[in-house]
Amino acid sequence: MSKVLILFAHPLFEKSRVHNELLLQAQSLSGVTINDLYQNYPDFDIDVEREKSLLLENDIIIWQHPLYWYSAPAILKQWQDLVLEHGWAYGKYGSALSGKKIFNVITSGGSEMAYQKGGHNKYPIYDFLIPFERTAELCKTTYWPPFWVPGVHRLEIDQIKIYATQFKKLLTALKEDIFSEEDILNHKLLNHLVPIQSMQ
């Protein structure tokens, strides 16, 4: 069994229909720890040693956040800057996170079509996640494809609940090591490991 840490960052969580549903499902699972960065550090004064301990205690690390200006909310960058220290997370002698798995759980106002070449945002969603991929690789972790909920402003509540159920099924499967590394990396989105059609 793998232990999962969700590093959650949303400055307007009370207004987020989708992240509320996603976390509601995640909270119901044992072996999943939710670390709400804005709630725990409203003044951005991050407890680095606490965060390091949480990372060491878990096998799978999730950066969960809305896509803000093609990146993450500010506190997640603050977390990366302070917690992923040279000599601990990366560098010649930095291997504390070696072998762990990391991926993004993201929401976007833009649709899937908007995040394609020729679409409104001109580039695929994966291009905007390259800094996360490089960060993960620099820390000697394996970067997995994202779980993505696009077009959130247009989703009806029943659609949101389907995504939330999908997320719960994914977390359960990852905790129980159901999927092989090869299978995970062969998908562009982790959503595809637990197809929505199988839940309808």
Side-chain angles (χ1 to χ4, degrees), residues 98-175:
S98 179
K100 295 185 184 293
K101 319 299 181 184
I102 298 183
F103 67 97
N104 293 82
V105 170
I106 55 171
T107 55
S108 66
S111 66
E112 287 190 65
M113 289 298 295
Y115 284 95
Q116 294 186 24
K117 288 186 177 179
H120 178 74
N121 293 308
K122 296 187 178 181
Y123 301 97
I125 192 68
Y126 316 103
D127 287 11
F128 297 105
L129 298 178
I130 288 173
F132 294 99
E133 178 182 354
R134 293 299 307 129
T135 297
E137 291 175 354
L138 197 64
C139 294
K140 304 178 182 67
T141 68
T142 301
Y143 185 73
W144 285 348
F147 180 90
W148 178 28
V149 183
V152 294
H153 304 310
R154 297 180 179 86
L155 292 178
E156 301 292 338
I157 189 61
D158 58 332
Q159 295 173 299
I160 293 173
K161 287 185 179 296
I162 288 174
Y163 274 112
T165 301
Q166 184 183 34
F167 184 48
K168 181 178 181 179
K169 288 181 178 291
L170 173 66
L171 290 177
T172 300
L174 294 179
K175 282 190 331 110

Side-chain angles (χ1 to χ4, degrees), residues 8-200:
F8 178 63
H10 198 315
L12 294 172
F13 180 38
E14 66 278 4
K15 295 184 177 180
S16 174
R17 301 179 304 152
V18 175
H19 285 283
N20 266 289
E21 288 292 335
L22 294 180
L23 288 192
L24 188 64
Q25 293 298 325
Q27 287 169 348
S28 68
L29 298 173
S30 62
V32 175
T33 299
I34 298 171
N35 184 17
D36 187 334
L37 297 179
Y38 276 103
Q39 181 180 48
N40 293 332
Y41 307 114
D43 55 1
F44 278 51
D45 186 14
I46 292 173
D47 185 339
V48 172
E49 294 309 313
R50 173 185 181 271
E51 295 302 311
K52 285 182 177 179
S53 294
L54 283 172
L55 290 172
L56 293 176
E57 291 167 6
N58 289 275
D59 310 294
I60 300 171
I61 300 157
I62 299 173
W63 288 313
Q64 182 175 338
H65 58 91
L67 200 65
Y68 271 19
W69 288 105
Y70 307 111
S71 186
I75 201 167
L76 188 50
K77 181 63 167 65
Q78 174 86 339
W79 181 93
Q80 291 173 327
D81 291 344
L82 297 180
V83 178
L84 303 180
E85 292 179 328
H86 183 271
W88 186 80
Y90 74 101
K92 186 176 181 180
Y93 301 106
S95 58
L97 304 180
S98 179
K100 295 185 184 293
K101 319 299 181 184
I102 298 183
F103 67 97
N104 293 82
V105 170
I106 55 171
T107 55
S108 66
S111 66
E112 287 190 65
M113 289 298 295
Y115 284 95
Q116 294 186 24
K117 288 186 177 179
H120 178 74
N121 293 308
K122 296 187 178 181
Y123 301 97
I125 192 68
Y126 316 103
D127 287 11
F128 297 105
L129 298 178
I130 288 173
F132 294 99
E133 178 182 354
R134 293 299 307 129
T135 297
E137 291 175 354
L138 197 64
C139 294
K140 304 178 182 67
T141 68
T142 301
Y143 185 73
W144 285 348
F147 180 90
W148 178 28
V149 183
V152 294
H153 304 310
R154 297 180 179 86
L155 292 178
E156 301 292 338
I157 189 61
D158 58 332
Q159 295 173 299
I160 293 173
K161 287 185 179 296
I162 288 174
Y163 274 112
T165 301
Q166 184 183 34
F167 184 48
K168 181 178 181 179
K169 288 181 178 291
L170 173 66
L171 290 177
T172 300
L174 294 179
K175 282 190 331 110
E176 297 175 358
D177 303 314
I178 289 175
F179 302 115
S180 69
E181 188 86 47
E182 181 181 10
D183 195 21
I184 290 170
L185 294 177
N186 277 341
H187 288 81
K188 288 192 172 183
L189 292 172
L190 290 186
N191 307 58
H192 298 159
L193 288 170
V194 192
I196 288 177
Q197 291 89 328
S198 67
M199 296 182 291
Q200 294 177 328

